[in-house]
PDB file of all heavy atoms in Angstrom:
ATOM      1  N   GLY A   1       0.743  -1.191   0.069  1.00 92.00           N
ATOM      2  CA  GLY A   1       0.009  -0.025   0.003  1.00 92.00           C
ATOM      3  C   GLY A   1       0.770   1.259   0.010  1.00 92.00           C
ATOM      4  O   GLY A   1       0.250   2.381   0.038  1.00 92.00           O
ATOM      5  N   LYS A   2       2.130   1.205  -0.032  1.00 95.00           N
ATOM      6  CA  LYS A   2       3.014   2.326  -0.039  1.00 95.00           C
ATOM      7  C   LYS A   2       4.054   2.248  -1.183  1.00 95.00           C
ATOM      8  O   LYS A   2       5.115   2.745  -1.077  1.00 95.00           O
ATOM      9  CB  LYS A   2       3.771   2.358   1.364  1.00 95.00           C
ATOM     10  CG  LYS A   2       2.790   2.629   2.505  1.00 95.00           C
ATOM     11  CD  LYS A   2       3.512   2.523   3.836  1.00 95.00           C
ATOM     12  CE  LYS A   2       3.898   1.113   4.209  1.00 95.00           C
ATOM     13  NZ  LYS A   2       4.422   0.992   5.538  1.00 95.00           N
ATOM     14  N   GLY A   3       3.664   1.537  -2.193  1.00 93.00           N
ATOM     15  CA  GLY A   3       4.549   1.433  -3.364  1.00 93.00           C
ATOM     16  C   GLY A   3       5.456   0.236  -3.363  1.00 93.00           C
ATOM     17  O   GLY A   3       6.254   0.022  -4.293  1.00 93.00           O
ATOM     18  N   GLY A   4       5.313  -0.563  -2.363  1.00 95.00           N
ATOM     19  CA  GLY A   4       6.266  -1.703  -2.194  1.00 95.00           C
ATOM     20  C   GLY A   4       5.521  -3.025  -2.595  1.00 95.00           C
ATOM     21  O   GLY A   4       4.298  -3.150  -2.316  1.00 95.00           O
ATOM     22  N   PHE A   5       6.220  -3.924  -3.173  1.00 92.00           N
ATOM     23  CA  PHE A   5       5.653  -5.248  -3.544  1.00 92.00           C
ATOM     24  C   PHE A   5       6.636  -6.333  -3.129  1.00 92.00           C
ATOM     25  O   PHE A   5       7.829  -6.213  -3.169  1.00 92.00           O
ATOM     26  CB  PHE A   5       5.397  -5.347  -5.078  1.00 92.00           C
ATOM     27  CG  PHE A   5       4.322  -4.421  -5.559  1.00 92.00           C
ATOM     28  CD1 PHE A   5       4.659  -3.112  -5.876  1.00 92.00           C
ATOM     29  CD2 PHE A   5       3.077  -4.814  -5.682  1.00 92.00           C
ATOM     30  CE1 PHE A   5       3.654  -2.266  -6.354  1.00 92.00           C
ATOM     31  CE2 PHE A   5       2.108  -3.936  -6.135  1.00 92.00           C
ATOM     32  CZ  PHE A   5       2.413  -2.625  -6.473  1.00 92.00           C
ATOM     33  N   GLU A   6       5.999  -7.391  -2.573  1.00 91.00           N
ATOM     34  CA  GLU A   6       6.746  -8.595  -2.037  1.00 91.00           C
ATOM     35  C   GLU A   6       7.913  -9.061  -3.017  1.00 91.00           C
ATOM     36  O   GLU A   6       7.607  -9.209  -4.176  1.00 91.00           O
ATOM     37  CB  GLU A   6       5.774  -9.681  -1.770  1.00 91.00           C
ATOM     38  CG  GLU A   6       6.393 -10.961  -1.193  1.00 91.00           C
ATOM     39  CD  GLU A   6       5.425 -12.050  -1.115  1.00 91.00           C
ATOM     40  OE1 GLU A   6       4.457 -12.093  -1.953  1.00 91.00           O
ATOM     41  OE2 GLU A   6       5.561 -12.894  -0.196  1.00 91.00           O
ATOM     42  N   LEU A   7       9.000  -9.328  -2.477  1.00 89.00           N
ATOM     43  CA  LEU A   7      10.134  -9.883  -3.210  1.00 89.00           C
ATOM     44  C   LEU A   7      10.156 -11.377  -2.837  1.00 89.00           C
ATOM     45  O   LEU A   7      10.352 -11.775  -1.759  1.00 89.00           O
ATOM     46  CB  LEU A   7      11.495  -9.234  -2.738  1.00 89.00           C
ATOM     47  CG  LEU A   7      12.711  -9.759  -3.440  1.00 89.00           C
ATOM     48  CD1 LEU A   7      12.667  -9.415  -4.960  1.00 89.00           C
ATOM     49  CD2 LEU A   7      13.919  -9.126  -2.807  1.00 89.00           C
ATOM     50  N   GLY A   8      10.039 -12.237  -3.904  1.00 80.00           N
ATOM     51  CA  GLY A   8      10.082 -13.668  -3.665  1.00 80.00           C
ATOM     52  C   GLY A   8       8.693 -14.093  -3.213  1.00 80.00           C
ATOM     53  O   GLY A   8       7.725 -13.515  -3.338  1.00 80.00           O
ATOM     54  N   GLY A   9       8.713 -15.215  -2.531  1.00 72.00           N
ATOM     55  CA  GLY A   9       7.437 -15.775  -2.014  1.00 72.00           C
ATOM     56  C   GLY A   9       6.731 -16.659  -3.047  1.00 72.00           C
ATOM     57  O   GLY A   9       7.183 -16.891  -4.078  1.00 72.00           O
ATOM     58  N   THR A  10       5.618 -17.219  -2.599  1.00 77.00           N
ATOM     59  CA  THR A  10       4.856 -18.131  -3.492  1.00 77.00           C
ATOM     60  C   THR A  10       3.676 -17.390  -4.036  1.00 77.00           C
ATOM     61  O   THR A  10       2.911 -16.715  -3.427  1.00 77.00           O
ATOM     62  CB  THR A  10       4.348 -19.314  -2.617  1.00 77.00           C
ATOM     63  OG1 THR A  10       5.392 -19.941  -2.073  1.00 77.00           O
ATOM     64  CG2 THR A  10       3.593 -20.283  -3.481  1.00 77.00           C
ATOM     65  N   SER A  11       3.503 -17.573  -5.374  1.00 84.00           N
ATOM     66  CA  SER A  11       2.449 -16.894  -6.095  1.00 84.00           C
ATOM     67  C   SER A  11       1.120 -17.568  -5.907  1.00 84.00           C
ATOM     68  O   SER A  11       1.028 -18.807  -5.991  1.00 84.00           O
ATOM     69  CB  SER A  11       2.767 -16.775  -7.623  1.00 84.00           C
ATOM     70  OG  SER A  11       1.660 -16.180  -8.337  1.00 84.00           O
ATOM     71  N   ASP A  12       0.080 -16.748  -5.693  1.00 89.00           N
ATOM     72  CA  ASP A  12      -1.278 -17.330  -5.561  1.00 89.00           C
ATOM     73  C   ASP A  12      -2.158 -16.661  -6.703  1.00 89.00           C
ATOM     74  O   ASP A  12      -3.291 -16.633  -6.613  1.00 89.00           O
ATOM     75  CB  ASP A  12      -1.903 -17.011  -4.284  1.00 89.00           C
ATOM     76  CG  ASP A  12      -3.107 -17.880  -3.946  1.00 89.00           C
ATOM     77  OD1 ASP A  12      -3.191 -19.034  -4.474  1.00 89.00           O
ATOM     78  OD2 ASP A  12      -4.112 -17.359  -3.357  1.00 89.00           O
ATOM     79  N   ALA A  13      -1.459 -16.155  -7.809  1.00 95.00           N
ATOM     80  CA  ALA A  13      -2.111 -15.612  -8.895  1.00 95.00           C
ATOM     81  C   ALA A  13      -2.174 -16.560 -10.002  1.00 95.00           C
ATOM     82  O   ALA A  13      -1.236 -17.149 -10.458  1.00 95.00           O
ATOM     83  CB  ALA A  13      -1.353 -14.243  -9.300  1.00 95.00           C
ATOM     84  N   TYR A  14      -3.399 -16.668 -10.645  1.00 98.00           N
ATOM     85  CA  TYR A  14      -3.586 -17.527 -11.713  1.00 98.00           C
ATOM     86  C   TYR A  14      -4.016 -16.614 -13.020  1.00 98.00           C
ATOM     87  O   TYR A  14      -4.781 -15.727 -12.827  1.00 98.00           O
ATOM     88  CB  TYR A  14      -4.682 -18.564 -11.474  1.00 98.00           C
ATOM     89  CG  TYR A  14      -4.261 -19.480 -10.376  1.00 98.00           C
ATOM     90  CD1 TYR A  14      -4.443 -19.212  -9.007  1.00 98.00           C
ATOM     91  CD2 TYR A  14      -3.573 -20.713 -10.638  1.00 98.00           C
ATOM     92  CE1 TYR A  14      -4.038 -19.996  -7.996  1.00 98.00           C
ATOM     93  CE2 TYR A  14      -3.120 -21.524  -9.570  1.00 98.00           C
ATOM     94  CZ  TYR A  14      -3.389 -21.183  -8.329  1.00 98.00           C
ATOM     95  OH  TYR A  14      -2.902 -22.004  -7.307  1.00 98.00           O
ATOM     96  N   VAL A  15      -3.474 -16.978 -14.097  1.00 98.00           N
ATOM     97  CA  VAL A  15      -3.604 -16.150 -15.298  1.00 98.00           C
ATOM     98  C   VAL A  15      -4.073 -16.918 -16.525  1.00 98.00           C
ATOM     99  O   VAL A  15      -3.689 -18.140 -16.739  1.00 98.00           O
ATOM    100  CB  VAL A  15      -2.201 -15.529 -15.652  1.00 98.00           C
ATOM    101  CG1 VAL A  15      -2.302 -14.674 -16.906  1.00 98.00           C
ATOM    102  CG2 VAL A  15      -1.696 -14.703 -14.479  1.00 98.00           C
ATOM    103  N   ALA A  16      -4.911 -16.330 -17.345  1.00 98.00           N
ATOM    104  CA  ALA A  16      -5.236 -16.781 -18.630  1.00 98.00           C
ATOM    105  C   ALA A  16      -4.565 -15.923 -19.656  1.00 98.00           C
ATOM    106  O   ALA A  16      -4.405 -14.717 -19.434  1.00 98.00           O
ATOM    107  CB  ALA A  16      -6.761 -16.759 -18.829  1.00 98.00           C
ATOM    108  N   LEU A  17      -4.070 -16.598 -20.788  1.00 98.00           N
ATOM    109  CA  LEU A  17      -3.205 -15.826 -21.726  1.00 98.00           C
ATOM    110  C   LEU A  17      -3.696 -16.220 -23.174  1.00 98.00           C
ATOM    111  O   LEU A  17      -3.985 -17.287 -23.480  1.00 98.00           O
ATOM    112  CB  LEU A  17      -1.790 -16.383 -21.470  1.00 98.00           C
ATOM    113  CG  LEU A  17      -0.654 -15.918 -22.340  1.00 98.00           C
ATOM    114  CD1 LEU A  17       0.638 -16.016 -21.508  1.00 98.00           C
ATOM    115  CD2 LEU A  17      -0.503 -16.749 -23.647  1.00 98.00           C
ATOM    116  N   LEU A  18      -3.676 -15.224 -24.013  1.00 98.00           N
ATOM    117  CA  LEU A  18      -3.982 -15.379 -25.457  1.00 98.00           C
ATOM    118  C   LEU A  18      -3.017 -14.489 -26.241  1.00 98.00           C
ATOM    119  O   LEU A  18      -3.010 -13.279 -26.168  1.00 98.00           O
ATOM    120  CB  LEU A  18      -5.384 -14.947 -25.708  1.00 98.00           C
ATOM    121  CG  LEU A  18      -5.932 -15.108 -27.173  1.00 98.00           C
ATOM    122  CD1 LEU A  18      -5.924 -16.608 -27.618  1.00 98.00           C
ATOM    123  CD2 LEU A  18      -7.314 -14.513 -27.294  1.00 98.00           C
ATOM    124  N   ALA A  19      -2.228 -15.160 -27.091  1.00 98.00           N
ATOM    125  CA  ALA A  19      -1.221 -14.436 -27.888  1.00 98.00           C
ATOM    126  C   ALA A  19      -1.592 -14.530 -29.328  1.00 98.00           C
ATOM    127  O   ALA A  19      -2.129 -15.551 -29.854  1.00 98.00           O
ATOM    128  CB  ALA A  19       0.092 -15.130 -27.684  1.00 98.00           C
ATOM    129  N   GLU A  20      -1.287 -13.383 -30.116  1.00 98.00           N
ATOM    130  CA  GLU A  20      -1.652 -13.264 -31.519  1.00 98.00           C
ATOM    131  C   GLU A  20      -0.331 -13.152 -32.380  1.00 98.00           C
ATOM    132  O   GLU A  20       0.434 -12.229 -32.084  1.00 98.00           O
ATOM    133  CB  GLU A  20      -2.596 -12.073 -31.813  1.00 98.00           C
ATOM    134  CG  GLU A  20      -2.916 -11.906 -33.230  1.00 98.00           C
ATOM    135  CD  GLU A  20      -3.799 -10.748 -33.530  1.00 98.00           C
ATOM    136  OE1 GLU A  20      -4.387 -10.184 -32.591  1.00 98.00           O
ATOM    137  OE2 GLU A  20      -3.872 -10.293 -34.734  1.00 98.00           O
ATOM    138  N   SER A  21      -0.146 -14.019 -33.281  1.00 97.00           N
ATOM    139  CA  SER A  21       0.868 -13.921 -34.318  1.00 97.00           C
ATOM    140  C   SER A  21       0.248 -13.975 -35.659  1.00 97.00           C
ATOM    141  O   SER A  21      -0.977 -13.543 -35.777  1.00 97.00           O
ATOM    142  CB  SER A  21       1.831 -15.076 -34.087  1.00 97.00           C
ATOM    143  OG  SER A  21       2.963 -15.052 -35.041  1.00 97.00           O
ATOM    144  N   ALA A  22       0.944 -14.402 -36.697  1.00 95.00           N
ATOM    145  CA  ALA A  22       0.326 -14.458 -37.962  1.00 95.00           C
ATOM    146  C   ALA A  22       1.023 -15.648 -38.764  1.00 95.00           C
ATOM    147  O   ALA A  22       2.160 -16.081 -38.366  1.00 95.00           O
ATOM    148  CB  ALA A  22       0.603 -13.181 -38.762  1.00 95.00           C
ATOM    149  N   GLU A  23       0.340 -16.141 -39.788  1.00 92.00           N
ATOM    150  CA  GLU A  23       0.948 -17.120 -40.571  1.00 92.00           C
ATOM    151  C   GLU A  23       2.247 -16.657 -41.179  1.00 92.00           C
ATOM    152  O   GLU A  23       2.462 -15.418 -41.580  1.00 92.00           O
ATOM    153  CB  GLU A  23      -0.033 -17.625 -41.683  1.00 92.00           C
ATOM    154  CG  GLU A  23      -1.231 -18.422 -41.168  1.00 92.00           C
ATOM    155  CD  GLU A  23      -1.913 -19.070 -42.261  1.00 92.00           C
ATOM    156  OE1 GLU A  23      -1.464 -19.088 -43.436  1.00 92.00           O
ATOM    157  OE2 GLU A  23      -3.052 -19.568 -42.010  1.00 92.00           O
ATOM    158  N   SER A  24       3.140 -17.551 -41.383  1.00 92.00           N
ATOM    159  CA  SER A  24       4.567 -17.140 -41.766  1.00 92.00           C
ATOM    160  C   SER A  24       4.615 -16.381 -43.095  1.00 92.00           C
ATOM    161  O   SER A  24       5.452 -15.529 -43.214  1.00 92.00           O
ATOM    162  CB  SER A  24       5.388 -18.428 -41.882  1.00 92.00           C
ATOM    163  OG  SER A  24       6.768 -18.124 -42.031  1.00 92.00           O
ATOM    164  N   PHE A  25       3.707 -16.670 -44.004  1.00 91.00           N
ATOM    165  CA  PHE A  25       3.704 -15.959 -45.319  1.00 91.00           C
ATOM    166  C   PHE A  25       2.564 -15.216 -45.607  1.00 91.00           C
ATOM    167  O   PHE A  25       2.209 -14.931 -46.741  1.00 91.00           O
ATOM    168  CB  PHE A  25       4.106 -17.037 -46.442  1.00 91.00           C
ATOM    169  CG  PHE A  25       5.527 -17.527 -46.345  1.00 91.00           C
ATOM    170  CD1 PHE A  25       5.774 -18.744 -45.667  1.00 91.00           C
ATOM    171  CD2 PHE A  25       6.573 -16.824 -46.882  1.00 91.00           C
ATOM    172  CE1 PHE A  25       6.973 -19.184 -45.565  1.00 91.00           C
ATOM    173  CE2 PHE A  25       7.864 -17.245 -46.822  1.00 91.00           C
ATOM    174  CZ  PHE A  25       8.079 -18.508 -46.137  1.00 91.00           C
ATOM    175  N   ASP A  26       1.704 -14.934 -44.560  1.00 90.00           N
ATOM    176  CA  ASP A  26       0.434 -14.133 -44.820  1.00 90.00           C
ATOM    177  C   ASP A  26       0.232 -13.429 -43.478  1.00 90.00           C
ATOM    178  O   ASP A  26      -0.567 -13.903 -42.637  1.00 90.00           O
ATOM    179  CB  ASP A  26      -0.670 -15.029 -45.207  1.00 90.00           C
ATOM    180  CG  ASP A  26      -1.797 -14.182 -45.838  1.00 90.00           C
ATOM    181  OD1 ASP A  26      -1.893 -13.046 -45.434  1.00 90.00           O
ATOM    182  OD2 ASP A  26      -2.627 -14.840 -46.542  1.00 90.00           O
ATOM    183  N   GLU A  27       0.577 -12.141 -43.443  1.00 90.00           N
ATOM    184  CA  GLU A  27       0.402 -11.354 -42.249  1.00 90.00           C
ATOM    185  C   GLU A  27      -1.073 -11.062 -41.930  1.00 90.00           C
ATOM    186  O   GLU A  27      -1.438 -10.652 -40.775  1.00 90.00           O
ATOM    187  CB  GLU A  27       1.172 -10.073 -42.348  1.00 90.00           C
ATOM    188  CG  GLU A  27       1.423  -9.346 -41.005  1.00 90.00           C
ATOM    189  CD  GLU A  27       2.373  -8.171 -41.145  1.00 90.00           C
ATOM    190  OE1 GLU A  27       2.818  -7.896 -42.255  1.00 90.00           O
ATOM    191  OE2 GLU A  27       2.751  -7.655 -40.085  1.00 90.00           O
ATOM    192  N   ASP A  28      -1.949 -11.190 -42.953  1.00 92.00           N
ATOM    193  CA  ASP A  28      -3.325 -10.868 -42.753  1.00 92.00           C
ATOM    194  C   ASP A  28      -4.194 -12.131 -42.243  1.00 92.00           C
ATOM    195  O   ASP A  28      -5.359 -11.977 -42.138  1.00 92.00           O
ATOM    196  CB  ASP A  28      -3.917 -10.441 -44.107  1.00 92.00           C
ATOM    197  CG  ASP A  28      -3.346  -9.104 -44.569  1.00 92.00           C
ATOM    198  OD1 ASP A  28      -3.006  -8.327 -43.706  1.00 92.00           O
ATOM    199  OD2 ASP A  28      -3.239  -9.011 -45.855  1.00 92.00           O
ATOM    200  N   LYS A  29      -3.420 -13.176 -41.888  1.00 94.00           N
ATOM    201  CA  LYS A  29      -4.046 -14.372 -41.342  1.00 94.00           C
ATOM    202  C   LYS A  29      -3.595 -14.643 -39.952  1.00 94.00           C
ATOM    203  O   LYS A  29      -2.482 -15.292 -39.822  1.00 94.00           O
ATOM    204  CB  LYS A  29      -3.943 -15.587 -42.277  1.00 94.00           C
ATOM    205  CG  LYS A  29      -4.641 -15.496 -43.635  1.00 94.00           C
ATOM    206  CD  LYS A  29      -4.385 -16.747 -44.452  1.00 94.00           C
ATOM    207  CE  LYS A  29      -5.106 -16.618 -45.807  1.00 94.00           C
ATOM    208  NZ  LYS A  29      -4.904 -17.777 -46.612  1.00 94.00           N
ATOM    209  N   PRO A  30      -4.190 -14.070 -38.966  1.00 96.00           N
ATOM    210  CA  PRO A  30      -3.745 -14.287 -37.513  1.00 96.00           C
ATOM    211  C   PRO A  30      -3.726 -15.792 -37.095  1.00 96.00           C
ATOM    212  O   PRO A  30      -4.572 -16.490 -37.515  1.00 96.00           O
ATOM    213  CB  PRO A  30      -4.728 -13.459 -36.769  1.00 96.00           C
ATOM    214  CG  PRO A  30      -5.357 -12.499 -37.711  1.00 96.00           C
ATOM    215  CD  PRO A  30      -5.402 -13.221 -39.013  1.00 96.00           C
TER     216      PRO A  30
END
């Protein structure tokens, strides 16, 4: 609450992730 965040420790955060790239020879096809 004062600008500090825990160093180390065990994470209890779970994340969903979605990445976007493109086909190797067609940038218009994600």
Side-chain angles (χ1 to χ4, degrees):
K2 296 174 286 186
F5 293 87
E6 179 187 30
L7 179 66
T10 302
S11 175
D12 195 34
Y14 297 86
V15 178
L17 177 157
L18 180 65
E20 178 180 345
S21 181
E23 288 192 11
S24 188
F25 291 95
D26 195 338
E27 197 171 5
D28 294 326
K29 293 181 179 178

